[in-house]
Amino acid sequence: MGLISLLTSNPTAFVMIAAALILSLTVHEFAHAYTADKLGDPTPRRYGRVTLNPLAHLDPFGTLLMLLVGFGFAKPVPINPSNLGRWGTMCVAAAGPISNLLIALLCAVLLKVVPQTQLGLTILLTVLSINVVLAVFNLIPIPLLDGSRILGALVPSLGRSLRDFEMQPYSFLIVMAFIYLMSGPIGSVIGAVRSWVLGFVGF
């Protein structure tokens, strides 16, 4: 179910989740761009991606999908792997999920050490949950996701095959179809990790 259904049934929840998603996706993509920039690849800066401005990172079609079906994406950060090398490319890929895990960790610490109002509690739990979901989902080792690029760096021969596949014009549709068909198992794994994290912090 997409976010748009909340707009009339629970506008407060809509605003809260939408804001948390924008924050989390922006930080995720900024982490990719910032890491690549620091490791010597000027490509993200050339495309204006080394910024925390959400407008630089949100994809119109991906945002529309989030509103309508509850699943979407931001604009991938363009990089030049030849400027980064094998391990630099892996660091750039890992930076996005790591940024989401750091946001989740910050929320968990705040939940533990800072007295919360009901609104503050709801906001922190929402941001924590979304960032756990984003981190786990992006670490799945399938093409176009960060997990595949990390795996490709660890296994160079596989990495070349994955890059060749991603350059094909039909790769996006195939990956989207795969995620849709496997949404049950993927959702179960992500849900289990999310439940474990929430249980760990006492919720």
Side-chain angles (χ1 to χ4, degrees):
M1 184 178 295
L3 287 178
I4 201 71
S5 63
L6 289 174
L7 192 54
T8 54
S9 62
N10 193 338
T12 301
F14 172 85
V15 171
M16 193 179 303
I17 294 171
L21 278 169
I22 291 171
L23 165 71
S24 306
L25 289 170
T26 297
V27 171
H28 179 104
E29 298 303 332
F30 169 76
H32 286 312
Y34 179 82
T35 304
D37 187 63
K38 289 300 179 182
L39 291 178
D41 182 10
T43 311
R45 185 170 294 277
R46 190 181 309 131
Y47 282 86
R49 301 299 298 277
V50 189
T51 176
L52 285 169
N53 181 354
L55 295 178
H57 301 294
L58 295 182
D59 181 271
F61 181 61
T63 303
L64 181 63
L65 283 179
M66 274 189 280
L67 290 172
L68 297 178
V69 301
F71 168 77
F73 50 88
K75 288 190 289 188
V77 172
I79 63 169
N80 185 345
S82 64
N83 291 331
L84 295 165
R86 174 182 170 189
W87 300 114
T89 300
M90 186 179 76
C91 289
V92 171
I98 289 173
S99 72
N100 294 128
L101 290 175
L102 290 175
I103 293 174
L105 178 61
L106 175 62
C107 291
V109 170
L110 291 175
L111 286 167
K112 286 290 189 180
V113 302
V114 179
Q116 300 294 329
T117 63
Q118 185 59 47
L119 178 60
L121 180 67
T122 303
I123 291 173
L124 286 175
L125 287 173
T126 299
V127 175
L128 187 153
S129 296
I130 285 173
N131 279 277
V132 168
V133 169
L134 285 175
V136 175
F137 177 76
N138 277 284
L139 286 172
I140 298 172
I142 59 176
L144 303 180
L145 297 184
D146 298 326
S148 73
R149 296 184 174 119
I150 295 171
L151 179 61
L154 295 172
V155 186
S157 58
L158 179 59
R160 286 190 290 273
S161 298
L162 290 170
R163 286 193 297 273
D164 288 343
F165 172 79
E166 289 181 1
M167 292 179 67
Q168 301 302 318
Y170 51 76
S171 60
F172 175 79
L173 294 177
I174 290 177
V175 172
M176 290 298 103
F178 176 82
I179 291 172
Y180 175 77
L181 292 172
M182 295 297 292
S183 59
I186 291 173
S188 296
V189 171
I190 293 175
V193 175
R194 175 182 172 276
S195 296
W196 181 84
V197 171
L198 290 176
F200 183 76
V201 298
F203 293 91

